[in-house]
């Protein structure tokens, strides 16, 4: 089935939409909105393999956008802007299972290998149109000291709460939707490194080109200088002759009001 959307359509769901139309439907086994586009994909963010896959996919989106910015033709001819996608915000949404620290407890184990998702708040309730609590939203930083990914990523976690937990059709428990994006300052540092590397390469190429020019000029330097002196002498003789002719003509025609310095020999017809 071919899917068509209005130009400029972007996947920017509200907290309420994520809870009611995506997470709740995922946990009750219902069909998700526009399921063909996989706008919220399955990925275990609390496993090392799953988390690295999520990081890789988001980084690919950023690299693609940077390449498109450097090539206007690619952006103008691309059809990507017709597809509702979170790529425009450089963030992705994932369904992920939650792993409890103990079988009977409620605390979630947020460690991933040597790293962990460090909580930044205690969570904020998500309300529906009637003001009822339907979910919880929490913020996290990725903490992994010694890793290149340390403090480079933000995550928002959306989980069911309140009346949604009372739904009798829930088939899957301990699930959440997570929205992950790379921090702006991390993207800025990456772009700066790329630009500095490009400048260094250009300066190196310019230096090599200049060096080759000096080397090539060595053997024939005398002949080149001799030729330049000869051409200079000829030009001076021709200019002197043209000046004499011009001075003679301008003395006979004072009505023009021209000063010699205002007239270029290119404008004269001898």
């Amino acid at each position: 089935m071919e899917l068509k959307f209005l130009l400029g359509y972007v996947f920017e769901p509200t907290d309420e939409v994520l809870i009611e139309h995506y997470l709740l439907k995922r946990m009750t086994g219902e069909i998700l909105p526009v399921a063909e586009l996989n706008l919220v994909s399955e990925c275990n963010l609390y496993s090392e393999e799953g988390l690295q896959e999520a990081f890789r996919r988001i980084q690919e989106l950023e690299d693609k956008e940077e390449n498109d910015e450097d090539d206007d033709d690619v952006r103008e001819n691309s059809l990507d802007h017709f597809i509702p996608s979170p790529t425009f915000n450089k963030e992705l949404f994932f369904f992920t299972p939650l792993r409890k620290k103990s079988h009977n407890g409620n605390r979630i184990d947020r460690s991933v290998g040597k790293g962990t998702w460090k909580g930044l708040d205690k969570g904020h309730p998500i309300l529906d149109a009637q003001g009822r609590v339907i979910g919880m939203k929490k913020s996290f930083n990725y903490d992994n000291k010694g890793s290149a990914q340390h403090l480079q990523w933000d995550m928002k976690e959306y989980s069911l709460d309140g009346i949604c937990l009372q739904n009798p059709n829930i088939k899957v428990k301990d699930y959440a939707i997570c929205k992950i994006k790379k921090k702006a300052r991390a993207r800025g540092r990456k772009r700066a490194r790329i630009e500095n590397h490009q400048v260094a390469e250009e300066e190196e190429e310019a230096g090599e080109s200049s060096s080759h020019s000096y080397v090539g000029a060595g053997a024939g330097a005398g002949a080149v200088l001799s030729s330049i002196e000869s051409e200079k002498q000829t030009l001076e003789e021709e200019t002197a002759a043209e000046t004499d002719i011009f001075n003679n003509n301008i003395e006979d025609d004072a009505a023009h009001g021209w000063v010699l310095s205002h007239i270029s020999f290119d404008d004269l017809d001898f």
Side-chain angles (χ1 to χ4, degrees), residues 246 257-265 267:
F246 172 74
W258 290 104
V259 179
L260 180 60
S261 62
H262 289 172
I263 299 178
S264 169
F265 285 118
D267 298 326

Side-chain angles (χ1 to χ4, degrees), residues 160-256:
L160 296 186
D161 200 0
I163 63 171
C164 282
L165 290 178
Q166 302 171 13
N167 191 311
N169 298 319
I170 291 179
K171 301 176 181 179
V172 180
K173 295 183 178 180
D174 300 324
Y175 245 72
I177 288 179
C178 292
K179 177 176 69 174
I180 298 181
K181 67 177 180 179
K182 198 167 189 178
K183 292 185 178 181
R185 62 175 180 270
R187 295 197 301 268
R189 286 195 294 267
K190 178 177 181 292
R191 178 177 286 275
R193 288 196 299 270
I194 293 174
E195 292 176 350
N196 291 337
H197 180 68
Q198 291 173 342
V199 170
E201 287 184 340
E202 292 173 357
E203 291 178 347
E204 183 178 353
E205 292 176 357
E208 292 178 354
S209 176
S210 176
S211 176
H212 292 162
S213 297
Y214 285 124
V215 172
V224 171
L225 289 174
S226 177
S227 175
I228 291 175
E229 289 296 333
S230 177
E231 291 180 1
K232 179 180 179 182
Q233 183 177 357
T234 301
L235 180 60
E236 288 176 348
E237 293 174 354
E238 292 177 352
T239 301
E242 292 173 348
T243 302
D244 290 340
I245 295 173
F246 172 74
N247 287 337
N248 292 334
N249 290 339
I250 202 169
E251 288 176 358
D252 297 334
D253 195 1
H256 286 91

Side-chain angles (χ1 to χ4, degrees), residues 97-133:
L98 301 176
R99 184 180 64 242
K100 292 185 177 181
K101 289 188 174 183
S102 62
H103 181 70
N104 296 324
N106 294 321
R107 298 183 64 188
I108 304 299
D109 184 1
R110 303 191 183 280
S111 62
V112 188
K114 296 181 179 180
T116 185
W117 285 106
K118 186 176 181 180
L120 300 178
D121 55 30
K122 295 182 178 180
H124 302 280
I126 299 173
L127 310 179
D128 65 6
Q130 286 75 42
R132 299 173 298 182
V133 175

Side-chain angles (χ1 to χ4, degrees), residues 6-162:
L6 294 176
L7 180 65
Y9 181 88
V10 184
F11 184 58
E12 291 185 346
T14 63
D15 296 348
E16 181 185 354
V17 167
L18 281 176
I19 292 294
E20 291 186 329
H21 297 279
Y22 286 89
L23 183 57
L24 183 59
K25 289 188 175 183
R26 169 65 179 81
M27 297 177 72
T28 56
E30 298 180 54
I31 298 176
L32 299 176
V34 203
E36 297 85 353
L37 293 179
N38 199 29
L39 296 174
V40 183
S41 56
E42 296 281 344
C43 185
N44 186 353
L45 300 178
Y46 292 102
S47 72
E48 291 187 74
E49 182 179 354
L51 184 59
Q52 293 306 316
E53 172 66 14
F55 288 166
R56 182 190 65 79
R57 288 177 57 187
I58 297 172
Q59 189 62 60
E60 285 181 353
L61 298 180
E62 294 191 354
D63 294 342
K64 179 179 182 301
E65 180 173 346
E66 290 178 357
N67 292 335
D68 287 351
E69 288 177 353
D70 294 336
D71 188 347
D72 292 337
D73 291 337
V74 172
R75 179 172 290 277
E76 290 175 1
N77 297 327
S78 174
L79 294 179
D80 290 346
H81 55 280
F82 285 100
I83 302 175
S85 168
T87 60
F88 295 91
N89 299 324
K90 297 181 286 268
E91 60 192 19
L92 286 179
F93 296 80
F94 301 97
F95 290 116
T96 186
L98 301 176
R99 184 180 64 242
K100 292 185 177 181
K101 289 188 174 183
S102 62
H103 181 70
N104 296 324
N106 294 321
R107 298 183 64 188
I108 304 299
D109 184 1
R110 303 191 183 280
S111 62
V112 188
K114 296 181 179 180
T116 185
W117 285 106
K118 186 176 181 180
L120 300 178
D121 55 30
K122 295 182 178 180
H124 302 280
I126 299 173
L127 310 179
D128 65 6
Q130 286 75 42
R132 299 173 298 182
V133 175
I134 58 175
M136 186 68 66
K137 177 181 178 180
K138 296 181 179 180
S139 301
F140 298 86
N141 270 341
Y142 182 64
D143 190 300
N144 190 353
K145 294 180 177 62
S147 168
Q149 308 290 1
H150 178 59
L151 300 180
Q152 301 294 298
W153 301 90
D154 285 328
M155 182 174 77
K156 303 294 185 184
E157 181 190 87
Y158 302 85
S159 58
L160 296 186
D161 200 0

